[in-house]
Amino acid sequence: MTTSNVLISEVGPRDGLQNCSGIMPTEDKKRWISALAAAGVKEIEVGSFVSPKLLPQMADTDEIVRHAVQIPGLEVAVLVPNLKGAQLAIAAGAHKITLPLSVSETHSLRNIRRTHDQVIDEAKAIANLIAEQSDGKRPHFEGSLSTAFGCTLEGPIDEQVILKSAERLMAAGCDEVGLSDTTGYGDPASMRHLIRAVRRVVGDENLTGVHLHNTRGLGLANVMAAYEEGITTFDSSLGGLGGCPTAPGASGNVVTEDLVFMFESMGVDTGIDLEALMATRDIVSAALPGEELYGFTPRAGLPLGFKGAPVPAAAE
Ligand code: ZN
């Protein structure tokens, strides 16, 4: 097995907070994001440009993006449901835009009120908008195949629908597609199978990231299966916060602290300082009292003598 290094994309400020009953104050969000970046997190999905009526937790996304893009070296990602969201994301200076296409059309209608054809139209419009931007101002554009491993409303999704959706997103102008186990239905075998199937359609280089939930405790096992298939970007959430408000029963993301611990123990560099990462839990706990934070590593502490992966020598 190769031990290439990985990119951990923290989605707590978006996927995590959208599912919390409380609303994290804007200044706490900024402090949390800054602290995550200071701990070595290189990519953070900081919010989503959705209607504040639907998700009041995300109402300050514009201000949050404008704060996050000031942090040197941080890749600032946002989720957008449509062209209007993409316009706001670009105006705020986001580096990466993710458009979800729920392969379960029932969930797509529930989540962003759009059929598959309508989502593809939005993808085309967003790709055109990005193309119009000047050099250096074009965000990376990902189409995320959500509920790819099954939907709490529809059950298993026909694989042909998934593959067709991946193909259509790329044809619409996405830079890459991602696979999302929104509902935590995936297992290591289905993970390997679907990654291979989608890569056969879009090419290996156009599927590099997965977004996994730990709903049934298989999060890290699924990460390992994806890693062994050559996936290099893993979404996760501090304290395992998260879920989807419109997919009943969907719960927590893979816990970032445990994910970083696993990779660093294996000698795979994440660039993240685990102690500093775990210390950011205090910001979340203080801002959202009563919100349960998960994770085995933060509770057990680091093993005696733990050093983590060797930091690669800086390129000359
Ligand atoms: Zn999610």
Side-chain angles (χ1 to χ4, degrees):
M1 189 174 68
T2 58
T3 53
S4 57
N5 296 331
V6 294
L7 175 68
I8 307 295
S9 181
E10 169 65 42
V11 298
R14 196 278 302 170
D15 203 335
L17 296 185
Q18 78 175 17
N19 213 46
C20 294
S21 45
I23 296 178
M24 186 182 278
T26 304
E27 290 310 311
D28 291 318
K29 276 194 197 179
K30 290 181 185 173
R31 279 206 302 136
W32 183 28
I33 289 165
S34 295
L36 287 167
V41 178
K42 290 176 191 63
E43 181 174 301
I44 305 179
E45 194 170 72
V46 299
S48 61
F49 282 103
V50 291
S51 159
K53 277 190 215 112
L54 292 176
L55 284 177
Q57 300 95 326
M58 298 289 117
D60 57 3
T61 295
D62 186 73
E63 188 176 342
I64 295 297
V65 172
R66 288 175 196 272
H67 165 79
V69 295
Q70 306 298 323
I71 302 171
L74 180 67
E75 184 81 357
V76 179
V78 287
L79 193 119
V80 304
N82 51 35
L83 175 64
K84 183 165 171 252
Q87 287 164 338
L88 295 169
I90 290 171
H95 304 128
K96 180 178 173 185
I97 291 178
T98 300
L99 174 75
L101 184 154
S102 190
V103 295
S104 153
E105 202 155 31
T106 312
H107 180 252
S108 185
L109 286 164
R110 186 87 68 98
N111 195 36
I112 60 172
R113 297 182 188 157
R114 277 169 176 76
T115 63
H116 286 168
D117 286 349
Q118 289 171 321
V119 178
I120 294 298
D121 286 344
E122 297 288 347
K124 286 180 192 157
I126 293 170
N128 288 338
L129 176 68
I130 290 172
E132 286 165 10
Q133 307 304 308
S134 52
D135 275 354
K137 297 216 165 139
R138 292 186 200 107
H140 190 73
F141 183 27
E142 181 188 296
S144 173
L145 296 157
S146 51
T147 68
F149 296 88
C151 170
T152 56
L153 303 164
E154 272 193 36
I157 306 298
D158 180 354
E159 189 170 303
Q160 290 313 313
V161 173
I162 302 172
L163 301 183
K164 188 80 203 159
S165 300
E167 215 170 13
R168 293 181 78 192
L169 282 169
M170 291 305 296
C174 287
D175 297 313
E176 65 173 309
V177 296
L179 273 180
S180 283
D181 185 12
T182 316
T183 55
Y185 280 19
D187 62 75
S190 61
M191 203 61 50
R192 288 179 195 286
H193 174 82
L194 198 55
I195 289 167
R196 288 180 193 183
V198 171
R199 280 184 152 180
R200 270 196 294 274
V201 172
V202 301
D204 288 6
E205 69 284 8
N206 293 322
L207 170 60
T208 63
V210 291
H211 174 101
L212 305 177
H213 282 240
N214 193 38
T215 317
R216 290 170 180 79
L218 298 190
L220 288 181
N222 292 343
V223 166
M224 272 313 295
Y227 176 69
E228 289 177 7
E229 288 298 316
I231 295 294
T232 51
T233 300
F234 297 91
D235 288 4
S236 61
S237 177
L238 192 91
L241 293 173
C244 179
T246 57
S251 67
N253 286 278
V254 169
V255 177
T256 306
E257 301 90 310
D258 292 341
L259 178 64
V260 171
F261 175 69
M262 180 181 81
F263 277 129
E264 292 285 330
S265 300
M266 291 166 57
V268 176
D269 184 46
T270 63
I272 295 174
D273 176 337
L274 249 175
E275 301 269 15
L277 177 75
M278 291 194 287
T280 72
R281 289 165 70 97
D282 293 344
I283 299 173
V284 180
S285 302
L288 292 173
E291 195 64 49
E292 188 172 1
L293 294 181
Y294 302 95
F296 289 101
T297 311
R299 284 199 192 133
L302 295 175
L304 184 63
F306 177 81
K307 287 200 181 70
V311 177
E316 292 294 312

